[in-house]
């Protein structure tokens, strides 16, 4: 599963990325700092069943912070966009190819309105424009991919477009639905450029859903602009965000000067000789971001992307259902992210193809009941897979 970080240039995308992954990405207060993409692991936050089951867990593929499981998910930060990128402005659209594999996107918007459409300093820029032009440029990107292969697609069935777009994680049924909704020919494609763009808008909407990070909420016009974005884009998920605050908290936690779990609305100071400057910066974060908005927004966005956009659930496979452990006795070693609707054999396949091939049944560790291959996994399930191959 891959989440992409996108948006206008100089809005704080790399700050968001660095805060979520602790990868050292280049951050600077001017446009086009990022050229090559940054890749890292962010974490999905979910309650760990260890407390409820009364075991001390020994996580292997994830972390557990006092009953909160942090499960890795891939994150990619790409270069920034400007309006008319499809006409060659800024860095153009080519770099969006880095987002082919993304399942969902987080758009980082500069909600303070202090950078103009090209990322240069200004006052009172309306961040609503960023939301509109990003979607438009993304649609042009999809259209350009279709046009590049037009000679191979023209006159063929809509399946040829599905084949082309499957590399963009776009499902066949979504492609068909988009074409049918727009009354476009699906048997023998003969679409105009306008049709291709309209189709691209439609299919992007379903296949690359976008959450909005209203970033730089700490700056003076942030709150006012955030309220107006919510009003203008009713129905969209818009989260007040301060990526800079999250980055400062994560780094201070890593240094050992504070204890902070990503997504918490508070932190604990550990260091007894913290410099005055850092102390006052942390106080600012506490008063103006954490208390006001209930968190920095970064973790909230990763979680909303994972649970609301991608419809993921967390499942814990074990080998010893009595101890909720693997065969070494490590309790709840792995937390696996799967799509809602996945079945017990899907979990087996995620662990090892052999395990899925020899699938006999699964045992629900909580109830000790056997479940069959039709069993639909529930969030937080703890399951033992019984297979003839193990
Ligand atoms: N006040 C404030 N500044 C922020 C916040 N997040 C990022 N910034 C600043 O915004 C500037 C741009 O940050 P980057 O992360 O480099 O932005 P970007 O979107 O990756 O920029 P490009 O790669 O150039 O497109 C830097 O000076 C950051 O310190 C925030 O939450 N609040
Ligand atoms: Mg950047």
């Amino acid at each position: 599963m891959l989440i992409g970080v996108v948006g206008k240039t100089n809005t704080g995308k790399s700050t968001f990325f660095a805060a979520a992954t602790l990868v050292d990405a280049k951050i600077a207060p001017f446009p086009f700092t990022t050229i090559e993409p940054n890749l890292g692991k962010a974490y999905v936050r979910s309650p760990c069943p260890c407390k409820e089951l009364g075991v001390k867990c020994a996580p292997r593929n994830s972390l557990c912070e006092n009953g909160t499981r942090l499960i890795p998910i891939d994150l990619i930060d790409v270069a920034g966009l400007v309006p008319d990128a499809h006409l060659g402005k800024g860095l153009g659209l080519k770099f969006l190819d880095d987002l082919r594999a993304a399942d969902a996107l987080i758009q980082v918007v500069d909600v303070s309105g202090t950078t103009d459409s090209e990322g240069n300093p200004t006052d009172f820029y309306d961040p609503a424009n960023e939301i509109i032009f990003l979607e438009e440029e993304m649609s042009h990107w999809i259209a350009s991919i279709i046009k590049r292969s037009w000679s191979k697609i023209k006159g063929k069935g809509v399946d040829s477009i599905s084949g082309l777009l499957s590399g963009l994680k776009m499902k066949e049924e979504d492609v068909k639905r988009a074409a049918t909704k727009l009354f476009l020919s699906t048997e023998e494609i003969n679409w105009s450029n306008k049709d291709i763009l309209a189709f691209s808008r439609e299919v992007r909407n379903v296949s690359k859903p976008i959450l909005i990070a209203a970033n730089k909420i700490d700056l003076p016009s942030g709150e006012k602009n955030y309220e107006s974005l919510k009003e203008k884009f009713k129905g969209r998920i818009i989260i007040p965000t301060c990526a800079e605050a999250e980055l400062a908290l994560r780094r201070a936690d890593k240094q050992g000067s504070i204890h902070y779990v990503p997504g918490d609305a508070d932190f604990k100071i550990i260091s007894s000789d913290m410099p005055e400057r850092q102390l006052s910066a942390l106080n600012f974060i506490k008063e103006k971001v954490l208390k006001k908005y209930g968190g920095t927004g970064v973790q909230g966005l990763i979680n909303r992307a994972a649970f609301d956009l991608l419809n993921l659930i967390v499942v814990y496979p074990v080998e010893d259902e009595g101890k909720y452990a693997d065969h070494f006795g490590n309790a709840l070693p792995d937390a696996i992210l799967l799509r809602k609707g996945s079945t017990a054999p899907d979990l087996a396949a995620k662990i090892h193809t052999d395990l899925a091939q020899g699938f006999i049944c699964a045992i629900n560790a909580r109830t000790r009941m056997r479940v069959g291959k039709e069993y639909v996994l529930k969030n937080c399930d703890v399951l033992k897979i019984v297979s003839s191959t193990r």
Side-chain angles (χ1 to χ4, degrees), residues 8-16 26-34 77-80 215-219 241-245:
K8 188 183 82 176
T9 183
N10 206 7
T11 58
K13 295 180 298 300
S14 299
T15 312
F16 183 98
K26 232 178 176 181
I27 294 167
F30 42 75
F32 305 119
T33 303
T34 307
D77 163 43
V78 297
N215 193 38
K216 307 193 190 177
I217 193 78
D218 53 299
L219 292 180
T241 309
C242 184
E244 207 166 57

Side-chain angles (χ1 to χ4, degrees), residues 83-90 92-93 137 140:
D84 288 338
H86 69 284
L87 301 176
K89 282 261 182 87
L93 288 179
E137 294 302 326
H140 277 285

